[in-house]
Amino acid sequence: MKFANPLISGTLVKRYKRFFADVELEGGEMVTAHCANTGAMTGIKEPGLPVWLSRSDNPKRKLKFTWELVEAEGTLIGALPNLANALAEEAVEAGMLAELTGYDSLRREVKYGTNSRIDLLLEGVGKPPCWVEVKNVHWQRGPGIAEFPDGVTARGAKHLVELAGQVAAGERAVQLFIVQRSDCDVLRPAADIDPVYARTLRESAAAGVEVLAYACDVSPAAVTITRPMRVELG
């Protein structure tokens, strides 16, 4: 996923009220950027971290800048969770995810479960539908180990139960973790942060939900899914 225009580098001053980030640009100018990540952003919101912003010329936007990338622990990390869905779609359509090839069509935001919408629905002649829930991952605590979630996510656990329901109905279901950093080889649930989610992930996997994780190459030019990661459910 290439950025439409060159990103602008700066230093994070503070992230506040969930949606705002004050950034000092290289020339010393202070700007307020839109923070499209409403989660805890554990490990990537500390003042002083290098960040990269995109700029919009849309006159209707209140904030011209959007926080796109951050550098932490010596690596570049994608800061936008919603980009994970676009990355997954791009990779599926390009045949980059071996487990998700061979389908004829891809649809997004299809209703299923209880008031839920699936991120990706893959369909093909002679195949059961494949329901793919995408989760973005940015957090690393141990070297080479990415963890999810970094905060309690009742919604995430609900989605896992609904994926298991699709499997019980004779269809295919996948929980796909997109890790927007390149320095991790393993994905683990953060059981100490959200034990319910970790338990539900294990139970859904035992029920037939496939759990996949892919790492990304992140640069100021583009974010691209590159390779599969090992998943350890504990």
Side-chain angles (χ1 to χ4, degrees):
M1 186 69 60
K2 294 182 179 179
F3 294 108
N5 298 299
L7 299 186
I8 301 166
S9 61
T11 302
L12 180 64
V13 175
K14 64 177 178 178
R15 180 246 190 167
Y16 57 101
K17 295 182 180 179
R18 299 177 69 193
F19 298 103
F20 301 99
D22 287 346
V23 175
E24 182 179 356
L25 303 183
E26 284 190 347
E29 179 185 359
M30 294 291 297
V31 300
T32 298
H34 175 55
C35 177
N37 188 335
T38 59
M41 297 186 74
T42 303
I44 62 170
K45 65 177 187 298
E46 284 66 37
L49 290 177
V51 296
W52 282 259
L53 312 177
S54 60
R55 177 169 182 153
S56 172
D57 293 324
N58 184 346
K60 296 182 179 181
R61 281 192 51 163
K62 285 187 176 181
L63 298 176
K64 301 300 182 184
F65 295 94
T66 299
W67 183 1
E68 301 280 356
L69 307 178
V70 58
E71 183 179 344
E73 299 153 348
T75 192
L76 284 176
I77 303 165
L80 295 185
N82 289 344
L83 185 60
N85 289 13
L87 289 168
E89 180 178 5
E90 180 182 73
V92 168
E93 291 183 335
M96 296 172 61
L97 308 187
E99 301 91 343
L100 301 178
T101 57
Y103 290 92
D104 301 319
S105 67
L106 179 154
R107 290 190 285 157
R108 294 187 63 172
E109 300 296 322
V110 178
K111 291 182 179 180
Y112 84 119
T114 304
N115 298 320
S116 294
R117 291 178 181 271
I118 197 68
D119 292 316
L120 305 176
L121 176 58
L122 310 181
E123 296 169 296
V125 177
K127 293 174 173 285
C130 180
W131 303 79
V132 183
E133 180 70 25
V134 180
K135 287 288 184 284
N136 179 70
V137 183
H138 73 265
W139 191 29
Q140 173 189 266
R141 280 191 290 186
I145 301 171
E147 294 188 64
F148 181 91
D150 67 339
V152 175
T153 173
R155 184 168 175 265
K158 173 179 178 285
H159 288 158
L160 290 171
V161 172
E162 291 172 334
L163 289 176
Q166 300 304 121
V167 174
E171 301 185 346
R172 187 182 177 199
V174 175
Q175 175 59 72
L176 173 62
F177 293 98
I178 301 300
V179 181
Q180 285 197 65
R181 55 192 300 161
S182 62
D183 59 346
C184 294
D185 301 306
V186 178
L187 183 285
R188 292 177 183 168
D192 60 324
I193 300 299
D194 191 341
V196 173
Y197 182 85
R199 183 181 69 249
T200 307
L201 182 61
R202 290 192 297 270
E203 291 172 348
S204 64
V209 175
E210 300 166 52
V211 182
L212 307 176
Y214 273 79
C216 293
D217 180 38
V218 180
S219 77
V223 180
T224 307
I225 291 176
T226 54
R227 57 183 172 81
M229 296 170 58
R230 187 170 77 253
V231 176
E232 297 180 353
L233 299 181

